[in-house]
Amino acid sequence: MLSQELGKMKRSWIMSSIIMIAIGILMIMMPVSHIGMLISALGYVLLVWATVIMLDFCSSKKVLVNYIYLTGGVLAALLGLFVLIQMLDMLPLLSLVFGLVLIVEGIYDFSSAYRYARRAGHAAWVVLAVLAALTAAFGVILLINPWWDSTAVIKNVIGCMMLLTSVFSIIRVVLVWPFRNV
């Protein structure tokens, strides 16, 4: 059971690092004039993701964890609608969405590292927890947004933070990689 959960963590980290690398490169390379299109796509992705979560809830057992996932899906739908409605004010919107994504990912990775890697006796669970805390800290920095005031700068900062957190995900995969049969 524990090795299966670690295998799920590895697959999740690989997929999240691939997605974050793509988003980071896209954010750095995209001109500021095309940010509106990216925000629209982000709003629609959040709505589709929320729909998938809600449909998954309909076909699942009605236990507490599935209600928590449903709540996350409803929040993702509300955030997607907010993104689509508030497209004119891009700078705080970009900071809000990507900051929340990094915070949620950091909290999830921290809880996974604590629950599964620590119990498995993996020596690097502390490093995994520190990397997860750094990911959440980057999200908080994006939410607070104390230093950046132009769309071009925040777009590059978001891209760099996404690339850096994808490096953290790759480090996590390398640290957990020795587990076999998962």
Side-chain angles (χ1 to χ4, degrees), residues 21-94:
I21 287 171
I23 290 173
I25 291 173
L26 183 67
M27 291 294 289
I28 291 172
M29 292 177 49
M30 181 174 281
V32 176
S33 60
H34 291 79
I35 291 294
M37 179 182 65
L38 181 69
I39 289 176
S40 294
L42 178 66
Y44 290 121
V45 165
L46 284 169
L47 287 176
V48 168
W49 183 45
T51 304
V52 168
I53 290 173
M54 289 177 200
L55 290 174
D56 187 39
F57 174 78
C58 291
S59 66
S60 68
K61 295 179 181 178
K62 305 304 185 257
V63 294
L64 179 62
V65 71
N66 290 333
Y67 283 103
I68 293 171
Y69 290 147
L70 176 66
T71 303
V74 169
L75 291 175
L78 291 174
L79 185 61
L81 287 173
F82 180 74
V83 165
L84 290 173
I85 292 170
Q86 296 291 329
M87 282 187 47
L88 298 177
D89 200 11
M90 289 186 277
L91 184 63
L93 192 63
L94 287 173

Side-chain angles (χ1 to χ4, degrees), residues 1-171:
M1 168 94 175
L2 196 54
S3 62
Q4 290 174 343
E5 289 300 321
L6 288 170
K8 288 179 187 177
M9 285 171 44
K10 279 195 298 190
R11 287 188 291 278
S12 171
W13 289 335
I14 289 170
M15 284 308 300
S16 69
S17 65
I18 290 171
I19 290 169
M20 285 190 300
I21 287 171
I23 290 173
I25 291 173
L26 183 67
M27 291 294 289
I28 291 172
M29 292 177 49
M30 181 174 281
V32 176
S33 60
H34 291 79
I35 291 294
M37 179 182 65
L38 181 69
I39 289 176
S40 294
L42 178 66
Y44 290 121
V45 165
L46 284 169
L47 287 176
V48 168
W49 183 45
T51 304
V52 168
I53 290 173
M54 289 177 200
L55 290 174
D56 187 39
F57 174 78
C58 291
S59 66
S60 68
K61 295 179 181 178
K62 305 304 185 257
V63 294
L64 179 62
V65 71
N66 290 333
Y67 283 103
I68 293 171
Y69 290 147
L70 176 66
T71 303
V74 169
L75 291 175
L78 291 174
L79 185 61
L81 287 173
F82 180 74
V83 165
L84 290 173
I85 292 170
Q86 296 291 329
M87 282 187 47
L88 298 177
D89 200 11
M90 289 186 277
L91 184 63
L93 192 63
L94 287 173
S95 298
L96 172 77
V97 171
F98 287 106
L100 287 175
V101 166
L102 289 178
I103 289 171
V104 168
E105 182 180 352
I107 291 170
Y108 175 75
D109 289 342
F110 184 82
S111 69
S112 295
Y114 185 77
R115 275 187 286 159
Y116 302 119
R118 183 182 63 88
R119 284 186 189 163
H122 201 285
W125 80 269
V126 175
V127 175
L128 296 174
V130 168
L131 292 176
L134 283 173
T135 301
F138 287 157
V140 170
I141 289 171
L142 278 177
L143 280 179
I144 295 171
N145 192 12
W147 302 287
W148 311 292
D149 56 354
S150 71
T151 305
V153 174
I154 192 69
K155 157 185 103 54
N156 289 332
V157 167
I158 291 170
C160 291
M161 284 191 178
M162 288 294 176
L163 286 175
L164 194 58
T165 54
S166 67
V167 169
F168 292 169
S169 292
I170 292 169
I171 291 170

